[in-house]
Amino acid sequence: MSLLISIIALGFIIFFHELGHFLLAKRMGVGVVEFALGMGPRLISRVYGKTRYSLRALPFGGSCMMVGEESEENGHFEEEDREDADAALSKREQTALSRGEGYLLDGRFYRTEESFLSKAAWKRFLIIAAGPVFNFILALFLSIIITQQVGYDRPVVLSAEAGMPAAESGISAGDTILSINGEKVTVYRDIQLFLLANQREMQNGMPVTLRYRTSGGEERTAAIQPVFADDTQSYRMGLTFNGAYSPAESWQEVLRYGAYNVEFCIKSTVKSLEMLVSGKVHRDDLMGPVRMVATMDSTVETASQYGLWTTVMSLFDLIILISASLGAMNLLPFPALDGGQLVFIVIEMISGRPVPRELVARINMAGMLLLLMLMVFVLFNDITFILK
């Protein structure tokens, strides 16, 4: 049951992403040929209006296929039952089709002005950006709920280990960390992320400067040289924090920390990519859709022992992380991702003329091949990790 819930949750995240593209496309007058959840062969498929809605076999991925998204000819869409479709067209539509003033896609007629490429650059920009933005909206909505119900992790020191650098610098229990090496600390996880991302730098002797507020309200600064701990195989300052969440004291705090939780997820995604590229993390730390489902399944299974409320909050927390990460990843300026398409549109908006379609097609094809290779690698990595 927990596995089914996890698959549905991941599918909902993907659905919300594609829903962003879909709603903005409809709003801008772009024809949507198919709105699909999942990949592979269709399990369920129905046509309502001028859009086919499909549920596909593999519960990973989704698509919002628009008229003319990649080319004016739409050769990548398969026409079904052409003769039956022609018979169902009105005389006006048949005339427009014969004059090259429309498209027959999946048995349905679309006017030329319904093409994605016929729209102004700013409209296309909004349509493409809507997917990641909807992921951020979903993450923000759930994050506000969690912050209101559970609270947030204040960066208040629980204890300073005797003999360790932090305690020797004067930091003690009850102090609140305000910044670390000039980076503002809002929640305890900021400190965790900083230490995780800078292990190599600390190995090379990088000092850590903490600005903190004492329990008496006085602001101070401490220069710390982290030391390597054999038990954790990492560099530590000797500080421990209360992992429990503290309740927000007002709706302003709920909104503020709810929004920051999404910001933190985006920031951690970017940091993780930087660490992956620089070789600071192992490939086992790379998580694809299979491991996401497995992680969600394990989380739901564990949380269910503590009741429905804990299960829902734990699931929401994972959905926030995955949804925000998906939005951030899709905004990367990489061909075949939303970010890559946005780069071409921005170039067009600046130069006043579109990037040649042949060049865009070649770049997107190369990007798609690389993306498919990465997907195969991630899938293989997920499976081998789970089978260990």
Side-chain angles (χ1 to χ4, degrees), residues 98-112:
S98 65
R99 292 176 177 174
E101 297 172 354
Y103 312 104
L104 184 65
L105 304 170
D106 196 18
R108 298 182 298 283
F109 175 80
Y110 298 89
R111 302 185 309 277
T112 304

Side-chain angles (χ1 to χ4, degrees), residues 9-63:
L10 183 60
F12 180 69
I13 294 170
I14 297 169
F15 164 79
F16 216 76
H17 176 95
E18 298 301 336
L19 182 65
H21 294 312
F22 176 83
L23 292 179
L24 264 291
K26 290 286 191 179
R27 180 68 180 83
M28 298 300 177
V30 175
V32 178
V33 180
E34 183 177 20
F35 181 85
L37 184 60
M39 301 173 66
R42 294 169 180 153
L43 296 178
I44 303 172
S45 183
R46 295 288 185 273
V47 176
Y48 296 100
K50 297 177 70 174
T51 301
R52 179 182 293 277
Y53 299 87
S54 303
L55 179 65
R56 295 179 179 266
L58 301 177
F60 308 114
S63 62

Side-chain angles (χ1 to χ4, degrees), residues 25 30 34 98 116 125 189 202 285 316 342 351-353 361-362:
V30 175
E34 183 177 20
S98 65
F116 175 78
F125 185 95
R189 284 165 293 161
M202 287 184 283
D285 298 311
F316 279 6
L342 292 176
S351 66
R353 56 186 178 184
R362 284 197 292 267

Side-chain angles (χ1 to χ4, degrees), residues 179-335:
S179 70
I180 182 166
N181 276 22
E183 297 182 18
K184 183 180 179 181
V185 171
T186 303
V187 293
Y188 158 57
R189 284 165 293 161
D190 286 326
I191 302 170
Q192 286 184 309
L193 181 61
F194 178 89
L195 295 176
L196 179 64
N198 290 280
Q199 287 292 306
R200 185 177 295 174
E201 287 77 7
M202 287 184 283
Q203 182 181 7
N204 294 331
M206 182 190 80
V208 173
T209 301
L210 293 177
R211 188 168 63 88
Y212 64 99
R213 183 187 300 113
T214 67
S215 54
E218 182 183 352
E219 289 195 12
R220 297 177 181 174
T221 300
I224 297 172
Q225 188 65 57
V227 296
F228 187 77
D230 292 326
D231 55 341
T232 60
Q233 289 294 296
S234 63
Y235 281 84
R236 297 176 54 231
M237 299 184 296
L239 292 176
T240 58
F241 295 83
N242 189 349
Y245 280 35
S246 303
E249 297 176 355
S250 65
W251 269 106
Q252 288 80 3
E253 273 203 352
V254 169
L255 295 175
R256 176 190 169 195
Y257 287 98
Y260 185 76
N261 190 34
V262 178
E263 180 184 334
F264 176 83
C265 291
I266 296 171
K267 182 168 64 175
S268 62
T269 299
V270 174
K271 287 282 187 183
S272 298
L273 288 172
E274 291 176 357
M275 292 166 65
L276 186 64
V277 171
S278 62
K280 292 182 180 179
V281 294
H282 191 263
R283 78 173 202 179
D284 285 348
D285 298 311
L286 185 65
M287 184 183 295
V290 174
R291 277 181 64 190
M292 283 182 188
V293 170
T295 300
M296 294 175 82
D297 177 39
S298 175
T299 300
V300 171
E301 189 75 34
T302 302
S304 63
Q305 302 174 21
Y306 301 94
L308 178 61
W309 186 84
T310 301
T311 303
V312 171
M313 291 298 107
S314 299
L315 188 59
F316 279 6
D317 203 33
L318 273 175
I319 291 175
I320 291 166
L321 174 61
I322 295 173
S323 188
S325 299
L326 178 63
M329 292 285 287
N330 264 279
L331 285 177
L332 292 175
F334 186 83

